[in-house]
Amino acid sequence: MTDREKQQNHPGAGDITQDGGHRVFRLAAVVKCWNGAHGFELTVPDLVIQKGEKVALVGFSGCGKSTLLDLLAMILRPDSAAEFTFRAGQDASLDVTGAWKQKNIDGLAHARMRHIGYVLQTGGLLPFLRVQDNIALSCWGLGLPEKAAVESVAEKLGIGRHLKKFPGQLSVGERQRVAIARAMAHEPSVVIADEPTASLDPINAEEIMALFTELAEEKSVTLVVATHEWERVTALDFRPVTFDLKQDTGSGSVRAVVSG
Amino acid sequence: MHGFKTIIRLSLRDYFHERLLSACAVMGLAAILAPLLILFGVKSGIINTMVDRLVKDPRNLEISPIGSGRYGQKWFATMAGFSEVLFVIPQTRSIASSMILSRKGSDRTHTLAVDLIPTDKGDPLLEKWARVPAENAEVVLSASAARKIKVVAGQTIMGRVGRSVKGVKEQVTIALKVVAVLPLAAFSRDAAFIRLTLLEATEDYRDGFGSVLFGWPGKKRLPGLRQYPGFRLYARSIYDLIALRDRLLAQGLEVYTRAEQIEVVQRLDRSFSLIFRLIAIVAVCGYLASMASNVLAGVNRKRRHLGVIRLIGFSTSSIVWFPVVQSVATSILGTALAAGLYGISALVINRLFARYLAAGEYVCRLSALHLAAALFVTLLLGIMAASYAAFRVTKIEPSTVIRDV
């Protein structure tokens, strides 16, 4: 990238949208390849996620949803990118590609801790911490007071009575609520969720997804959710992002192109 | 900084959560360390007691001449100036240095011939076991001499010195106050310790001279420098003893010391230390290997949790401390447990041998410094054992482990 291009990526006119909000993620020509017996290549030609948006990455398993989530969460290094910036709150926008190139892993980690919450498909809770401490993790890491934040978010998700328990004592659904609470307790700008309700029964799934969305709207958090349940997210007014899969008949490798 | 603190907190919570495994690691360390502490305690206890006994007993610091020589005032002055010398005093001719002591009992008078031994302020034998006579008419008796004439400290006895002048037998007497009695352990022969002034006067009297000081009749001794056939000499320490012995040997003097016994103890100490070191090296290698595999297995088992911690956004530089903190906890708890086990064992061992020991003597003994050194070494080994696991933690990619089930 030339210096001029870099300058363009920094906060300025480019980041501010017409309606006064700003772009949280801007990705242009981002590519991630997986080598191996069946190669896989994910290409994101152009993806912009605005502040406060609710975005659903919709597709079958293996379509590249998780890869894109990990790229957005800055835990996966893109192989190439014309542009990949992240901007949260009042901070200057972060040149994610540049940080990866400079091996500034801790810089990316700090941005993640401060601005991003991540909900995994199953738990991902630390079994040796009580529910309240699992929820408080990011607050601890950031040195923020955690008590009120934990109690308020736990109350909203209906797990107030489980705070003293260990994750092992909870049902799958309750654990998923705790995972959502942990992703939101430190007031991040973005919450990324990977199939957050896929391991739940339909009734629980619906209830938890509704609560999650409601909470995100209330806190005006940008929500990026990967899911295969198209109906549920359209009903909740998510903007769908889809994956077009093409198999190369010669090599057998799969190319996925993101659009939306 | 918050990240670092949080990782310490998480590491300790995990350590406590897996308390059964942690307790096993702690006991594993104690099982290696406690026998080492006991072994080292016994080694240092026995050697220290032996050395202490050698050092504390002034007789081990004594250098005695073999045969008689001629030592002038100047020689004594030079000897007294050496830093290795604790105490030196001239000894008169052995044939002249004796006295008949007597005490009137209720039914009969007890008499006994004793050796006269010169003493003065600074005499380590008397200062350790009794007290030094301050006056010329005071005496310290050996245990056997006191027993034979049935006298205790504080009583007065009569001392008699005889001579024969031109076939006529003469004798003088002097009243002597017994100020102390040496225990049997300190001196075994029948002897009376007196000031050099009195000893010289008795020698002069036997030679036919008189003494103005004690009012004994006889020729006037011509003034001049005295020559002494022997001496009582004490080194300052067991190390000085060997140096002093070599110094006297270099002067051409034949002397007797107990240096060989001291050297035996020193050799014993060295052999014990070597054996201890060999055992300790084997134990350290074993501990390092088992601890390293333990910590590494823990990190591999917790890959997903560590990945989640990284996913939340803790930095590499703080997350490396996760296994190290646990290893340090094991080191501290394991050393504490080992020290406790050692303490109980030491108590039992010292009780068992109590009847062979004087007050303040131990068969098993470690100083606080030894225990602190043990803790330091264990901490160092713990950190070393955790370092590879810590390196592996930095290589955990959240994206590859967070979806493992």
Side-chain angles (χ1 to χ4, degrees):
Chain A
M1 223 193 294
T2 67
D3 282 349
R4 213 164 97 213
E5 279 170 323
K6 251 187 209 167
Q7 272 172 359
Q8 284 176 349
N9 294 335
H10 274 278
D15 285 328
I16 307 295
T17 52
Q18 283 122 353
D19 57 359
H22 67 245
R23 291 162 178 161
V24 178
F25 286 106
R26 274 181 68 147
L27 282 76
V30 174
V31 178
K32 177 70 193 174
C33 299
W34 297 108
N35 299 317
H38 304 285
F40 180 79
E41 187 187 289
L42 178 78
T43 307
V44 187
D46 182 36
L47 178 66
V48 173
I49 297 175
Q50 313 276 9
K51 185 176 184 297
E53 246 193 318
K54 288 178 292 176
V55 176
L57 314 185
V58 192
F60 305 106
S61 80
C63 71
K65 298 190 299 274
S66 299
T67 301
L68 181 53
L69 284 183
D70 289 356
L71 286 170
L72 294 176
M74 302 179 283
I75 55 173
L76 194 61
R77 182 183 175 155
D79 294 314
S80 65
E83 182 177 351
F84 186 169
T85 55
F86 171 66
R87 184 169 184 229
Q90 301 306 310
D91 292 9
S93 83
L94 177 69
D95 175 9
V96 177
T97 337
W100 277 112
K101 277 190 187 134
Q102 290 158 21
K103 294 198 160 69
N104 184 13
I105 311 293
D106 284 352
L108 293 173
H110 185 75
R112 191 160 64 239
M113 168 119 68
R114 182 69 203 87
H115 299 297
I116 298 181
Y118 202 119
V119 181
L120 287 164
Q121 180 174 350
T122 48
L125 301 175
L126 300 180
F128 50 85
L129 291 184
R130 291 177 196 282
V131 165
Q132 58 187 19
D133 298 337
N134 260 295
I135 299 174
L137 266 178
S138 295
C139 293
W140 285 355
L142 293 164
L144 302 173
E146 83 280 6
K147 199 170 182 303
V150 169
E151 280 170 5
S152 126
V153 76
E155 211 50 59
K156 289 200 175 111
L157 285 159
I159 44 171
R161 66 186 190 285
H162 299 311
L163 286 178
K164 302 276 181 208
K165 291 184 185 168
F166 283 97
Q169 298 166 277
L170 303 183
S171 70
V172 181
E174 287 161 344
R175 271 184 246 170
Q176 217 46 23
R177 289 169 194 248
V178 176
I180 292 166
R182 184 177 70 188
M184 301 194 102
H186 61 297
E187 308 276 336
S189 332
V190 183
V191 171
I192 295 173
D194 187 5
E195 300 270 15
T197 57
S199 51
L200 305 177
D201 61 86
I203 298 166
N204 238 322
E206 190 147 346
E207 187 188 342
I208 289 177
M209 198 60 206
L211 265 175
F212 185 21
T213 319
E214 196 182 303
L215 195 58
E217 280 169 356
E218 185 189 315
K219 292 176 181 283
S220 50
V221 169
T222 310
L223 206 53
V224 183
V225 177
T227 183
H228 60 272
E229 296 163 310
W230 174 272
E231 296 83 6
R232 204 185 316 281
V233 291
T234 43
L236 288 166
D237 203 19
F238 276 72
R239 167 163 76 97
V241 169
T242 54
F243 297 75
D244 296 324
L245 296 183
K246 283 196 191 93
Q247 184 154 27
D248 189 305
T249 42
S251 64
S253 70
V254 176
R255 290 168 60 92
V257 178
V258 176
S259 59
Chain B
M1 202 58 216
H2 296 297
F4 176 63
K5 272 194 266 182
T6 306
I7 292 297
I8 292 178
R9 200 165 168 182
L10 295 185
S11 177
L12 291 176
R13 292 283 185 93
D14 180 42
Y15 192 74
F16 180 72
H17 189 76
E18 295 193 320
R19 46 194 171 273
L20 197 65
L21 284 178
S22 307
C24 287
V26 167
M27 281 189 277
L29 168 57
I32 292 170
L33 189 56
L36 279 181
L37 288 177
I38 295 167
L39 190 66
F40 190 69
V42 168
K43 181 229 138 192
S44 77
I46 290 180
I47 298 289
N48 282 351
T49 297
M50 287 171 87
V51 169
D52 269 9
R53 282 184 183 180
L54 289 172
V55 170
K56 279 186 188 153
D57 190 344
R59 285 174 300 177
N60 292 314
L61 300 175
E62 185 170 11
I63 298 180
S64 347
I66 297 172
S68 63
R70 291 170 71 81
Y71 309 98
Q73 304 283 0
K74 209 176 140 196
W75 185 85
F76 284 102
T78 320
M79 288 306 288
F82 289 140
S83 63
E84 299 98 333
V85 173
L86 179 67
F87 178 72
V88 63
I89 195 165
Q91 172 70 288
T92 57
R93 293 197 307 277
S94 59
I95 194 146
S97 50
S98 70
M99 189 179 259
I100 310 289
L101 300 182
S102 63
R103 193 180 83 82
K104 270 200 172 63
S106 49
D107 48 346
R108 65 189 188 87
T109 303
H110 306 281
T111 59
L112 178 70
V114 296
D115 292 333
L116 294 178
I117 297 170
T119 184
D120 204 344
K121 250 182 86 173
D123 183 341
L125 191 65
L126 263 58
E127 288 197 335
K128 177 174 166 61
W129 299 104
R131 47 181 283 215
V132 178
E135 306 284 337
N136 288 329
E138 288 182 349
V139 66
V140 171
L141 294 181
S142 71
S144 66
R147 183 169 47 82
K148 285 173 187 165
I149 57 169
K150 298 195 178 350
V151 69
V152 294
Q155 294 178 323
T156 302
I157 54 172
M158 294 306 291
R160 190 172 78 221
V161 184
R163 70 180 174 191
S164 130
V165 181
K166 292 169 189 156
V168 182
K169 287 197 170 162
E170 294 177 358
Q171 64 176 40
V172 287
T173 56
I174 178 169
L176 294 168
K177 187 181 179 203
V178 180
V179 292
V181 175
L182 274 179
L184 192 61
F187 203 88
S188 54
R189 285 177 293 139
D190 300 339
F193 291 79
I194 54 173
R195 289 174 63 84
L196 187 59
T197 321
L198 178 56
L199 181 60
E200 285 177 354
T202 65
E203 188 183 41
D204 287 349
Y205 182 77
R206 284 211 168 80
D207 291 343
F209 302 110
S211 165
V212 181
L213 185 61
F214 295 99
W216 294 341
K219 295 179 290 186
K220 191 174 180 337
R221 192 178 186 279
L222 291 172
L225 290 176
R226 247 178 212 278
Q227 294 278 339
Y228 300 92
F231 52 82
R232 284 181 67 216
L233 173 62
Y234 289 87
R236 206 168 281 280
S237 73
I238 53 173
Y239 307 101
D240 291 327
L241 177 72
I242 290 161
L244 199 53
R245 177 196 63 184
D246 296 343
R247 196 191 275 280
L248 292 173
L249 289 176
Q251 283 183 19
L253 295 182
E254 269 201 80
V255 291
Y256 169 78
T257 63
R258 296 198 189 176
E260 288 79 10
Q261 283 164 269
I262 291 163
E263 282 164 345
V264 166
V265 174
Q266 287 174 332
R267 267 203 301 278
L268 198 63
D269 187 13
R270 278 196 292 274
S271 316
F272 262 141
S273 299
L274 180 69
I275 293 170
F276 176 77
R277 233 170 282 149
L278 288 174
I279 296 174
I281 287 169
V282 174
V284 161
C285 295
Y287 176 65
L288 204 58
S290 83
M291 189 69 183
S293 75
N294 213 351
V295 180
L296 191 60
V299 163
N300 285 340
R301 195 157 44 80
K302 294 166 200 160
R303 278 169 67 82
R304 185 167 186 228
H305 305 148
L306 291 164
V308 167
I309 292 171
R310 300 209 72 182
L311 171 69
I312 287 169
F314 290 95
S315 67
T316 312
S317 55
S318 49
I319 204 164
V320 289
W321 293 99
F322 190 90
V324 177
V325 165
Q326 298 191 341
S327 192
V328 164
T330 299
S331 301
I332 292 172
L333 295 177
T335 307
L337 180 59
L341 291 173
Y342 158 79
I344 296 167
S345 311
L347 212 65
V348 171
I349 292 170
N350 288 328
R351 283 263 173 85
L352 218 57
F353 290 93
R355 59 204 176 97
Y356 306 108
L357 299 171
E361 286 186 342
Y362 301 92
V363 165
C364 189
R365 186 94 211 257
L366 285 183
S367 65
L369 199 68
H370 285 134
L371 290 174
L375 177 61
F376 177 75
V377 170
T378 325
L379 279 175
L380 208 66
L381 290 175
I383 292 169
M384 275 168 68
S387 56
Y388 180 64
F391 169 73
R392 290 287 294 268
V393 169
T394 66
K395 296 289 161 208
I396 292 176
E397 286 291 342
S399 58
T400 60
V401 296
I402 53 175
R403 290 181 188 87
D404 296 349
V405 176

